[in-house]
Amino acid sequence: MYYQTGKDEQAIGAFHQAIRLKPSLFVPNLFLGLDYVKLKRFNDAIPYLKQAVLLNSADMQAPLALGQAYAGAGKTRAATASYARVARLNANNADGWFHLGVSYLEQVEADARILLTRHKDSGYVQALIAETFAEQRALIQADQAYKKVLTLLQFPPGVHASYGFVLLKRHDLPGAERELAAELAANPGSLLAKLGVARSQIEQGRTAESAKGIEDIWKTDAGFLQASVALFAGGLPQSKRSELVRVLKDQQAGASTSQELVSLFDDSAGKRAPALPPGASAGPAKTEPRSPGDAAALYDRGKYGECSELLASRQPGLSFHDLRLLVSCAYATGNYQTAFAASQKLAIRAATEAEGSYWEIRSAQKLATEALTRASELDSTSPNLHVLLGDVYRQQNAYPDAEQEYRKALALQPEDTGASFGLALTLLADSDIEGAFRFTEAALRKNSDDAELSAVMGEILCARHDFSGAEPYLKKGLNTKPELVPHVHALLSKVYAGTNRTQQAIAELKLGLADDKDGRLHYQMGRLYLKVGDRVSAKQAFAVSDRMQREELTRADVAMQQGEDTEPQ
């Protein structure tokens, strides 16, 4: 009763007394843990919730709360394991899948901090930056980042082939072929390089050769092709894709190509379940006994699914060399859970921390997407869940996915201010200034007093250099959430600077410096001080800006999170 009526301290005392009288009771352990989570005393909550899980292994509330306690205490791997338990207990629980997806993303952030603070000069960090740019379609930056990776002594397998795909999308066929050849020289069995060759052939109109190469990859390891088809097809003109499907269908008529392979590339086939489970191979099952040493030979031949199955069956006694093979093979075939588990074992060892963190980030990103997609499918009628998913995707710079979730929320609840705010921010962040303006203008017609939307409209008008139009919106936006207020002050400073009110601009920017992440606002402050002749204050502001820009952590984080001056697609 104390718990239900919000008298938390009295509830804690009563639960403690119940546990002293009978430690094996499930309910007081569970609710004592819940109370501690409610009070944000996460480390206090953990032992009681662990005990509750042991006492009732079928209960979902205990592992869900335990995941929240671990997450609050910064123990992201333990939190992920606990949320995964919820998903196993009830695969139809949308809340469990949502928390699991968010937990994977928190692990990504935790690993990124480790890489950027302890291994900032590592080839794994630079490869991750390059891959992030490539995924964001920031091809110019990706090109530059891959060049930097290749100057280093050590980097992940497949970097030459991944760079080759970036060059293909930039229509640099000679450069792409050079990188693909370099990958094949280092690893003749690389299916990623062979897939890049097939993409190069189709770009040159050699569709029959491309189809033959794709069929060979499918026969070698179907799981790899299923996991990589999006990479192959990204940016491929529909006409070329249609021609590939036609050739594959012709081959199917000749009984040399399977329907499952054709369906991978055929949009008209609609949404399909995977033809094979992740990590499976299209080849015949290998039933003869094998030793772990055979895994390297399988990897060299591009038999990633068989390599993964062999090594996964020999855990937990694998050497670090075999763990590296397992991670590479499992990830290549879309078996991200196995890759995630193996990468954790690499990440906790100092000598392989950078490598393990790199693979943990890559597999956790994939698992997060799968979990969040599952949550959205299970609770498709919840506006709140769609808004939460939209927020997660927006923070990850996955703007098309974020936009889709916010629009789903608005379709269910048109007046949802959180969805409107999120969608406006997403359109703005995705450089759709006019789309953001039209949407925000329409939203403000329905709710003219909304401070968050007013702040967004002010930012949109600043982006359009309409400073006089932006000012009233930004002043209204000062009533927004406290964490957003410094950003609004910084925008107001831009308005005042753009309308020759320099002293007011300085005053506003002082209030907005808490929003400075990379030294840019301090640099602007220095420029404003110079404008009014205050060289001493300008020098101090420039010094702070220079220090912030020279910090490798900040610079690397900006490089990974922002894709400025991207090539038009």
Side-chain angles (χ1 to χ4, degrees):
M1 293 303 297
Y2 281 142
Y3 176 85
Q4 296 291 351
T5 55
K7 297 177 180 178
D8 297 305
E9 292 302 329
Q10 294 97 316
I12 287 171
F15 288 136
H16 270 299
Q17 177 64 4
I19 291 171
R20 279 194 293 270
L21 292 169
K22 192 170 183 179
S24 62
L25 283 176
F26 167 72
V27 169
N29 278 286
L30 171 64
F31 278 87
L32 184 53
L34 292 173
D35 234 332
Y36 280 137
V37 169
K38 182 180 177 183
L39 297 173
K40 300 188 185 302
R41 292 169 60 179
F42 301 115
N43 285 316
D44 290 332
I46 289 170
Y48 296 103
L49 292 171
K50 286 176 69 176
Q51 183 65 15
V53 170
L54 291 173
L55 291 169
N56 187 351
S57 60
D59 180 81
M60 285 199 306
Q61 194 173 11
L64 186 61
L66 182 57
Q68 293 170 321
Y70 279 134
K75 299 175 180 179
T76 51
R77 291 190 180 103
T80 300
S82 195
Y83 290 133
R85 181 185 181 90
V86 176
R88 287 194 301 271
L89 285 170
N90 185 353
N92 295 319
N93 184 283
D95 197 36
W97 285 106
F98 174 77
H99 282 291
L100 179 59
V102 171
S103 186
Y104 281 128
L105 293 177
E106 288 173 348
Q107 185 61 53
V108 168
E109 294 177 4
D111 284 327
R113 285 192 294 271
I114 289 172
L115 285 175
L116 296 169
T117 53
R118 301 179 193 170
H119 309 283
K120 59 187 178 183
D121 297 321
S122 163
Y124 293 100
V125 174
Q126 298 304 321
L128 198 60
I129 292 171
E131 289 155 8
T132 302
F133 279 136
E135 289 168 2
Q136 293 175 352
R137 296 180 299 172
L139 300 181
I140 294 175
Q141 292 90 332
D143 190 337
Q144 295 169 347
Y146 274 118
K147 286 177 180 175
K148 184 174 181 179
V149 176
L150 293 172
T151 65
L152 302 173
L153 293 176
Q154 187 178 24
F155 45 78
V159 165
H160 281 289
S162 297
Y163 184 24
F165 270 99
V166 168
L167 294 173
L168 282 170
K169 292 174 183 178
R170 295 198 69 191
H171 309 293
D172 180 1
L173 293 181
E177 290 180 348
R178 179 193 68 236
E179 294 303 323
L180 296 169
E183 188 70 50
L184 288 169
N187 179 10
S190 171
L191 295 189
L192 185 61
K194 292 178 180 180
L195 191 65
V197 170
R199 172 64 187 262
S200 176
Q201 289 168 338
I202 202 171
E203 292 282 2
Q204 299 173 60
R206 297 155 56 193
T207 310
E209 293 176 66
S210 176
K212 177 64 170 62
I214 289 170
E215 185 178 1
D216 289 343
I217 293 170
W218 174 261
K219 290 177 179 177
T220 302
D221 197 312
F224 166 81
L225 191 58
Q226 289 173 333
S228 306
V229 68
L231 174 65
F232 176 88
L236 186 66
Q238 186 59 47
S239 59
K240 293 183 180 295
R241 185 164 179 164
S242 299
E243 175 65 12
L244 174 62
V245 170
R246 185 190 65 76
V247 173
L248 289 172
K249 285 182 176 179
D250 288 344
Q251 292 179 354
Q252 182 190 357
S256 65
T257 300
S258 70
Q259 175 59 43
E260 291 85 356
L261 172 56
V262 176
S263 297
L264 279 180
F265 298 91
D266 189 1
D267 289 334
S268 66
K271 187 176 181 181
R272 299 165 303 277
L276 293 172
S281 170
K286 304 298 182 182
T287 57
E288 68 270 17
R290 282 198 175 112
S291 68
D294 293 331
L298 290 169
Y299 174 80
D300 289 341
R301 292 162 52 203
K303 299 280 188 178
Y304 305 133
E306 292 180 37
C307 170
S308 176
E309 290 169 8
L310 172 62
L311 292 175
S313 68
R314 304 301 176 99
Q315 292 197 77
L318 293 178
S319 67
F320 285 101
H321 171 74
D322 287 334
L323 281 172
R324 288 187 177 106
L325 274 180
L326 176 56
V327 169
S328 295
C329 290
Y331 186 89
T333 52
N335 193 347
Y336 304 121
Q337 188 59 63
T338 297
F340 182 73
S343 65
Q344 287 184 334
K345 295 179 181 179
L346 291 171
I348 61 176
R349 184 172 180 259
T352 54
E353 183 179 60
E355 183 178 3
S357 297
Y358 164 84
W359 284 112
E360 193 170 35
I361 285 173
R362 295 198 69 187
S363 53
Q365 287 173 328
K366 297 289 189 180
L367 290 168
T369 299
E370 291 176 359
L372 293 173
T373 300
R374 185 70 177 272
S376 179
E377 291 171 349
L378 287 170
D379 197 1
S380 59
T381 60
S382 169
N384 290 337
L385 180 57
H386 288 303
V387 172
L388 288 170
L389 287 170
D391 291 344
V392 169
Y393 286 133
R394 177 166 54 83
Q395 290 163 9
Q396 297 296 311
N397 297 335
Y399 301 125
D401 292 328
E403 179 180 349
Q404 184 180 47
E405 293 300 330
Y406 290 131
R407 291 196 185 279
K408 286 179 181 178
L410 289 170
L412 294 166
Q413 192 169 311
E415 306 303 319
D416 191 309
T417 55
S420 297
F421 179 59
L423 180 55
L425 285 178
T426 298
L427 294 170
L428 181 60
D430 204 23
S431 301
D432 185 0
I433 306 299
E434 292 308 309
F437 175 79
R438 290 193 299 272
F439 174 78
T440 308
E441 184 180 46
L444 282 169
R445 281 198 294 268
K446 299 176 184 177
N447 192 355
S448 60
D449 294 326
D450 189 282
E452 281 75 35
L453 286 173
S454 295
V456 176
M457 178 58 87
E459 185 164 4
I460 292 168
L461 293 173
C462 281
R464 298 173 71 178
H465 302 285
D466 182 1
F467 298 121
S468 59
E471 185 173 347
Y473 286 107
L474 291 173
K475 286 181 176 177
K476 187 179 291 185
L478 288 172
N479 295 318
T480 188
K481 303 170 185 176
E483 62 268 25
L484 301 178
V485 170
H487 184 61
V488 179
H489 281 299
L491 289 169
L492 267 175
S493 173
K494 187 174 182 178
V495 166
Y496 290 141
T499 52
N500 297 315
R501 289 175 282 175
T502 309
Q503 289 293 356
Q504 287 175 272
I506 291 172
E508 287 296 329
L509 197 51
K510 286 180 179 178
L511 297 172
L513 288 178
D515 193 47
D516 198 1
K517 302 293 190 302
D518 53 14
R520 296 182 189 184
L521 295 185
H522 280 87
Y523 181 80
Q524 292 173 23
M525 180 69 82
R527 294 288 298 272
L528 291 171
Y529 277 132
L530 284 178
K531 196 171 182 179
V532 298
D534 187 347
R535 295 187 174 276
V536 174
S537 297
K539 184 177 180 180
Q540 293 173 345
F542 286 138
V544 174
S545 174
D546 185 59
R547 174 179 58 79
M548 294 180 73
Q549 291 182 37
R550 282 187 289 105
E551 289 176 351
E552 289 293 334
L553 171 60
T554 302
R555 196 161 69 217
D557 183 58
V558 171
M560 291 177 69
Q561 294 297 327
Q562 297 185 11
E564 298 181 354
D565 301 322
T566 58
E567 255 187 350
Q569 300 299 311

